Amino acid sequence: MKQLLTRFPKTVGAFAYGSGVFVQKGNEIGAMGLPNMLDLVFIVKNSCEWHRMNMERNPSHYWWLMRSFGSKFVASIQENYSAYIYYNTLIKMDDRFLKYGVISEVDFYHDLSRWDTLYFGGRMHKPVFFLNGFASSLLYDISQINLKYALNTACLLLPHQFTREQLLLAIAGLSYSGDFRMTVGEDKKKVEKIVRSNFEPMWNLYHPYIAADDCMSILPSGCIEQDVSHEETIRRINFLPINVRFNLNWSLLTSKSVKREDVAQNIVQSISRIVRRSSPRQAVKGVICSGPKKAFVYSMMKLVKMFRNLYLFLTFF
């Protein structure tokens, strides 16, 4: 898989994610009986220059209209709208289809550190396969902070005692809160499949931070126990990403009589607002970037996959 990088301009970071690299139970085969599409992300220093070089090297990857407008226009579409990423999809390489997104180093940093859209922050909550290491230690550091944010947020959604699976389901579900694709086009059991198919790798991402947290402990039964006092709840709320904190009802959350379920609901609502702002716009942007033909085929593949999984679910009972 790392050989793919030689076909593209230089990046400051690259990784693969999703069912194309981490096989999900029940999703071993993609739509139309084909292997699952490989999803890649390229983090670049200069978007305009990267697209210019990529258009020279891989012109067929771009919709002809986008290509005719040039790399400066493509970079503008990428960096000024929705989730700040530009996707080329349904690219055939080595007898397999792939989709790759391009994001600037600055926008990647902002989404992980502030949860601007949670588009990449959410992807980095789950295991990813790095095609090369981060060229910048700052990107690595912020990816670790993003994991701490996810753990901290999930703890606020959970009770005094919970299982490892409940924790990972809460984390994996954060970036799907408010995502309209979960209504149309995505597998309704996607979050559950992500966790159950990648349980140990995902647990290994968070276990060191749980072990280092004085307000959490892993019981002999394997369950996790946390301090849910008002003081600890406020401390965790203050460690939420800035864009989540911005939408919170502080008068409610700082009240000593507030119920824990109200805290959780308020946080979920805040995250949903972030995701809801970007997810429909990113879908529209995908049509513009790919062109109507590829966008239609890609949408049909998603729908076929969704209905196939629904059929398998219904026939199970």
Side-chain angles (χ1 to χ4, degrees), residues 14-15 27 46 57 63 103 111 114 123 174 199 257 295 310:
F15 61 87
N27 274 348
N46 183 310
R57 192 177 296 189
W63 182 31
I103 185 169
D111 201 44
R114 306 187 310 204
R123 272 164 180 55
L174 292 174
F199 190 91
S257 61
L310 179 61

Side-chain angles (χ1 to χ4, degrees), residues 137-290:
S137 61
L138 183 61
L139 285 181
Y140 172 79
D141 292 342
I142 203 62
S143 71
Q144 299 307 298
I145 291 173
N146 180 53
L147 293 177
K148 293 179 185 178
Y149 279 156
L151 175 61
N152 182 67
T153 306
C155 285
L156 287 165
L157 307 183
L158 293 166
H160 171 59
Q161 194 175 115
F162 48 88
T163 65
R164 294 195 300 166
E165 184 177 29
Q166 286 174 314
L167 173 66
L168 298 184
L169 285 169
I171 291 172
L174 292 174
S175 59
Y176 293 107
S177 301
D179 191 337
F180 87 103
R181 295 174 303 168
M182 297 306 290
T183 305
V184 178
E186 284 288 5
D187 181 2
K188 302 299 182 292
K189 288 185 169 287
K190 183 168 186 174
V191 172
E192 190 177 307
K193 287 179 179 177
I194 289 171
V195 171
R196 291 184 176 172
S197 300
N198 304 280
F199 190 91
E200 289 304 324
M202 191 170 176
W203 170 251
N204 290 338
L205 291 176
Y206 297 97
H207 182 220
Y209 298 119
I210 294 170
D213 193 324
D214 293 336
C215 295
M216 298 177 73
S217 58
I218 301 174
L219 304 176
S221 65
C223 289
I224 302 165
E225 192 173 80
Q226 66 168 327
D227 181 354
V228 292
S229 66
H230 179 72
E231 292 73 21
E232 177 59 15
T233 299
I234 294 300
R235 185 189 73 82
R236 288 200 182 278
I237 289 171
N238 284 325
F239 188 64
L240 290 169
I242 188 170
N243 283 308
V244 178
R245 283 186 280 127
F246 181 77
N247 290 315
L248 294 177
N249 182 344
W250 283 95
S251 60
L252 170 71
L253 297 180
T254 53
S255 169
K256 289 195 174 182
S257 61
V258 67
K259 296 180 181 177
R260 190 160 183 85
E261 52 265 33
D262 292 333
V263 172
Q265 184 181 22
N266 196 230
I267 290 169
V268 169
Q269 287 172 346
S270 177
I271 294 172
S272 295
R273 288 191 192 101
I274 294 171
V275 177
R276 199 179 298 120
R277 279 198 305 266
S278 64
S279 68
R281 295 173 186 173
Q282 183 60 36
V284 173
K285 183 177 172 181
V287 176
I288 296 170
C289 296
S290 307

Side-chain angles (χ1 to χ4, degrees), residues 44 46-53 71-73 75 79:
V44 303
N46 183 310
S47 299
C48 182
E49 182 63 14
W50 193 93
H51 284 295
R52 184 191 65 77
M53 292 188 290
S71 61
K72 188 174 181 180
F73 180 81
E79 295 182 342

